[in-house]
């Protein structure tokens, strides 16, 4: 039994059912039933057309459920639409499902959770762990999202901006999490950028390529995090960097700047520096100014404080951080610790590293910050 094959076919089968009139929640339930049946039947009797088999079984399961809940006329209409047996067309419907899951009526966090569950194939428990919330909380969030989009058809998708946001968040989840969704997010963003004339789609693709190019250098052999300044730049993927820069330059030339293009420009400046010491921090601050203007995001302002600290010194960075006046921001304590360390205040930096470790969103980051605190405490005791 090839469970990888089953997982890869799930989005296409789900899309077929939705196109044929099934609401999203019922279609997903039917597909899950078909997958369970496949796990039972296929080892002894594998089908010649796996996708066609799954479509037929899932559709029948959907009809069975519908017959229990709907009037006779509706039952007969749906029965008449049952797909004919035989090979199903080999079409990648995943991007269409992203548009469905990214319906504007959903919040970005709900859209990502629904996409991870329905399209990415993650369990509710895995998604809950990624969001650091109880499994029951995530199950409720996904259920509410399903109910919201249950009446939406594939000819009523979400808008491009919402899809780009979901792809960006899915990429970030894959980039930093245990489940590798980054490559799939890049593949889908590449499809989207080729299908529509949208500078932000190109900007997002460039951003993903530039970040993904550094992935091999982000962790040590023991799995510990390697900060950007300490990474072996010889392990960066130069082909992906070159492609990302080329795509970004073409997007910027259109003079329709958006947040993903600005983020990609910052990533390109990091990728262009032969060493950490040669990074053009002044220009990075300027791009963060543009990004702040576009988004007015506290997280962007937090990252800008780091860049200011590099360009103008740690005191300037701390002043920019103080202007945020929001210590509850994710990684605020880690940024403050770094700037205080650069300013020579090791005691404060060690305390803040320990505080940041306590709030870290994943084990790798927690371990890294704990080691930073221990390193400074050891230096202070010498």
């Amino acid at each position: 039994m090839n469970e990888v094959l089953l997982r890869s076919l799930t989005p296409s089968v789900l899309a077929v059912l939705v196109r044929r009139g099934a609401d999203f929640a019922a279609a997903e339930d039917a597909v899950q039933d078909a997958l369970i049946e496949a796990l039972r039947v296929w080892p002894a009797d594998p089908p010649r057309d796996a996708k066609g088999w799954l479509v037929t079984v899932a559709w029948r399961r959907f009809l069975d459920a519908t017959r229990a809940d709907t009037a006779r006329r509706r039952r007969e209409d749906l029965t008449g639409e049952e797909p004919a047996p035989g090979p199903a067309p080999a079409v990648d419907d995943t991007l269409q499902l992203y548009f469905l899951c990214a319906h504007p009526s959903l919040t970005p966090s709900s859209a990502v959770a629904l996409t991870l569950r329905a399209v990415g194939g993650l369990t509710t428990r895995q998604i809950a762990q990624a969001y650091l919330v109880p499994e029951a909380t995530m199950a409720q969030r996904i259920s509410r999202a399903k109910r919201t989009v249950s009446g939406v058809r594939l000819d009523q998708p979400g808008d491009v901006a919402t899809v780009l946001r979901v792809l960006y968040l899915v990429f970030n989840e894959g980039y930093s999490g245990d489940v590798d969704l980054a490559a799939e997010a890049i593949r889908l963003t590449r499809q989207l950028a080729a299908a529509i004339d949208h500078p932000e789609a190109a900007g997002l693709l460039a951003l993903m390529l530039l970040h993904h190019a550094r992935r091999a250098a982000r962790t040590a052999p023991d799995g510990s995090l390697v900060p950007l300044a300490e990474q072996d730049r010889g392990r960066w993927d130069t082909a992906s960097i070159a492609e990302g820069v080329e795509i970004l330059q073409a997007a910027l030339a259109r003079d329709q700047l958006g947040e993903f293009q600005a983020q990609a420009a910052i990533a390109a400046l990091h990728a262009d520096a032969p060493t950490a010491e040669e990074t053009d921090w002044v220009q990075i601050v300027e791009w963060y100014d543009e990004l702040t203007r576009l988004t007015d995001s506290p997280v962007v302002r937090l990252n800008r404080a780091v860049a200011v600290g590099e360009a103008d010194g740690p005191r300037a960075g701390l002043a920019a951080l103080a202007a945020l006046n929001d210590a509850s921001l994710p990684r605020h304590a880690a940024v403050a610790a770094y700037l205080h360390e650069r300013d020579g205040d090791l005691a404060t930096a060690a305390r803040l590293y320990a505080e940041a470790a306590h709030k870290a969103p994943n084990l790798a980051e927690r371990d890294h910050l704990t080691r930073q605190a221990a390193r400074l405490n050891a230096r202070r005791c010498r």
Side-chain angles (χ1 to χ4, degrees):
M1 167 53 57
N2 190 340
E3 295 187 23
V4 174
L5 172 63
L6 284 175
R7 179 171 173 174
S8 69
L9 290 173
T10 298
S12 294
V13 176
L14 180 57
V16 170
L17 266 64
V18 175
R19 281 205 306 270
R20 290 185 176 275
D23 69 68
F24 190 90
E28 190 189 21
D29 289 341
V31 172
Q32 293 300 319
D33 287 345
L35 294 178
I36 293 171
E37 184 69 6
L39 289 170
R40 186 183 69 83
V41 172
W42 285 11
D45 185 20
R48 285 180 295 178
D49 174 22
K51 179 180 174 181
W53 190 98
L54 287 170
V55 167
T56 300
V57 172
W59 184 255
R60 287 172 179 166
R61 293 300 167 89
F62 167 71
L63 291 179
D64 289 343
T66 301
R67 289 188 182 102
D69 299 326
T70 61
R72 180 180 179 82
R73 181 179 302 175
R74 180 57 178 158
R75 294 201 309 268
E76 292 174 351
D77 289 343
L78 290 173
T79 302
E81 296 171 5
E82 181 172 349
V91 178
D92 184 354
D93 297 298
T94 308
L95 193 57
Q96 287 180 292
L97 286 175
Y98 268 72
F99 271 91
L100 178 62
C101 293
H103 193 265
S105 58
L106 295 175
T107 65
S109 62
S110 294
V112 173
L114 180 61
T115 304
L116 291 173
R117 180 68 185 89
V119 188
L122 275 69
T123 66
T124 302
R125 176 174 295 180
Q126 287 174 313
I127 302 169
Q129 289 174 343
Y131 275 84
L132 300 178
V133 299
E135 184 177 352
T137 300
M138 182 53 64
Q140 291 175 355
R141 183 181 302 177
I142 293 173
S143 295
R144 285 195 298 268
K146 286 181 182 179
R147 287 196 297 271
T148 299
V149 300
S150 62
V152 178
R153 299 292 184 258
L154 282 175
D155 59 351
Q156 297 175 308
D159 60 12
V160 172
T162 306
V163 172
L164 290 174
R165 173 63 52 188
V166 172
L167 284 168
Y168 172 66
L169 294 172
V170 169
F171 173 81
N172 283 343
E173 181 56 43
Y175 188 68
S176 61
D178 294 330
V179 179
D180 188 356
L181 298 173
E184 176 68 357
I186 291 173
R187 183 183 73 84
L188 294 172
T189 305
R190 195 184 293 279
Q191 282 187 10
L192 184 59
I196 63 174
D197 185 22
H198 198 299
E200 274 291 82
L204 178 58
L205 177 58
L207 175 63
M208 289 180 176
L209 290 170
L210 289 163
H211 277 308
H212 205 58
R214 303 199 302 261
R215 184 159 192 177
R218 290 183 69 245
T219 55
D222 63 359
S224 59
L225 291 182
V226 180
L228 176 61
E230 300 172 20
Q231 289 177 14
D232 178 1
R233 300 185 179 218
R235 300 184 64 196
W236 290 0
D237 184 346
T238 55
S240 292
I241 290 173
E243 182 185 6
V245 169
E246 182 179 0
I247 292 170
L248 173 63
Q249 288 175 338
L252 291 175
R254 300 181 60 178
D255 198 24
Q256 298 177 41
L257 184 64
E259 64 173 295
F260 294 127
Q261 294 169 73
Q263 287 189 58
I266 293 169
L269 286 167
H270 283 297
D272 187 55
T275 66
E277 293 72 24
E278 296 174 84
T279 304
D280 189 346
W281 286 106
V282 172
Q283 194 172 168
I284 287 176
V285 171
E286 292 174 355
W287 276 111
Y288 270 120
D289 289 340
E290 289 288 344
L291 195 53
T292 300
R293 179 182 60 80
L294 289 166
T295 67
D296 195 29
S297 164
V299 175
V300 170
R301 293 180 184 274
L302 183 68
N303 292 330
R304 180 185 177 277
V306 176
V308 170
E310 298 290 351
D312 301 326
R315 296 285 176 89
L318 287 167
L321 186 64
L324 276 169
N325 196 29
D326 186 359
S328 66
L329 282 172
R331 298 185 172 87
H332 184 284
V335 169
Y338 174 74
L339 292 170
H340 277 290
E341 180 184 358
R342 288 199 60 225
D343 194 40
D345 186 351
L346 302 189
T348 300
R351 176 179 57 80
L352 288 168
Y353 275 131
E355 178 185 329
H358 182 69
K359 299 176 180 178
N362 56 65
L363 183 59
E365 189 168 337
R366 185 182 311 158
D367 288 346
H368 171 72
L369 293 166
T370 300
R371 284 193 296 270
Q372 295 294 87
R375 174 180 57 83
L376 293 187
N377 283 326
R379 282 180 57 186
R380 292 172 56 217
C381 294
R382 288 174 187 170

